[in-house]
Amino acid sequence: MDITLIKLSLIDEDKDQPRYQFSQDALEELANSIKEIGLLSPIKVRDTGDGRYKIIYGNRRYKASQMIGLESIPCIVSDATDEMDIYFEQIAENLTREDFSPIEEAEAFHKLMNEDGFRSSIKLLSSKLGKAESYIKNKLELLKFGSAVKKLIVSGTQIRKDCLTEDQLMPLKDLPIEFRDSLALTAARDELPVSDVKKIAKLFKDKSISDATKQKLLLKTGSGLIETWSVFEQNRKEKLAREKQQQEEARLAAERKAAQVAALEAEQEASAFTTKEHAESSGAPYGEATATAAATPITQNTHLQLEGNYIGAVEADDALLPSKIMHAVSLDNANYSITLDHAYAEAEALLVQLRNGDMQQLDACEQLSNDMLIKLQQLQELWRTIMRESQA
């Protein structure tokens, strides 16, 4: 590789090269370094055929050398003529430089993929430049932003005022343009960390918030937007918790109802079987016994009705006494099954209130329990009396 001294007056910059952003402070620092120790790394140029040369890479060194008034600089002269090969070489060289900005990369990738004479695929770019396809795609996403935002994009991850890193912009890339650029500029002005930008982006992606409300939110500062996100997130969690509780309550209610229906059907079947059995044992026609039993109404105090029927039947020396007794007992059992299910449901509801800190329901729970125990004892005692006297 031959190195040749070429006069600066014979070298032209390549206006189409991918790198065009140069920090003045960095150029002055480089110029001072060249002035003290000389240009250690030559630039690369190509012969344009008219006695002049065009830079392939090394623009910063060329500019810094001009600043200190050098007449000639060391150069590597390339015989490359293919524009695509030259452009790929320029990108590859600049990708090794820390100050090659993400937006310069994005524009270079876009040029290779879309301009006439190039038309490269992402797969080819990945192969030629040694970069993952996802890396190239993410860089291209930066081109969605407007020029005001693009000017602020810098390399690296350090958050600085009035600057934007690629990480800050990625959460905003899929938002509508009327929100995207404004939020990006807010992030730059207020030096928002990436985590805050993600929260704000989530807020503006939520479809339950109207566009009119979102337009008003754009007037807020970065801290104001984060405060709004916190309130919104808390309300969302509370709503989800309420909906979950309502669904659980509906499920329990459905289960209780299904259990009550099943219990009632079982008791009705048992009642029909018992009525038929005792009608046959007493000699009474089944149809007559069934009609008599069906005429017996179910009331809230079936066990009292049972006791009255029994006493009346004994006094009248009723021949259908056994079937009437068993039918009344069956009705009483069915009614108590429903009453107990209802009481159990009430007890469950009271328990939920107790767990939620409502200690005033403690007495109600205790009273409900005592009432049901007393009624059960009364029913058992009445059943024993009936069985004892009917067998006598």
Side-chain angles (χ1 to χ4, degrees), residues 7 18 31-32 38 65 74 76 78 87 92 115 146 151 189 197 216 267 275-276 296 314 320 337 340-341 378:
K7 291 183 178 181
N32 290 332
S65 298
I76 299 171
S78 172
Y87 201 70
E115 286 194 8
K151 292 177 182 178
R189 181 194 65 210
V197 177
K216 294 177 182 178
E267 291 295 342
T275 301
K276 179 179 179 181
T296 307
V314 171
L320 295 178
S337 174
L340 287 172
D341 283 339
Q378 290 174 346

Side-chain angles (χ1 to χ4, degrees), residues 141-152:
E141 294 283 4
L142 297 176
L143 299 179
K144 290 181 176 180
F145 294 90
S147 58
V149 174
K150 290 177 183 177
K151 292 177 182 178
L152 304 179

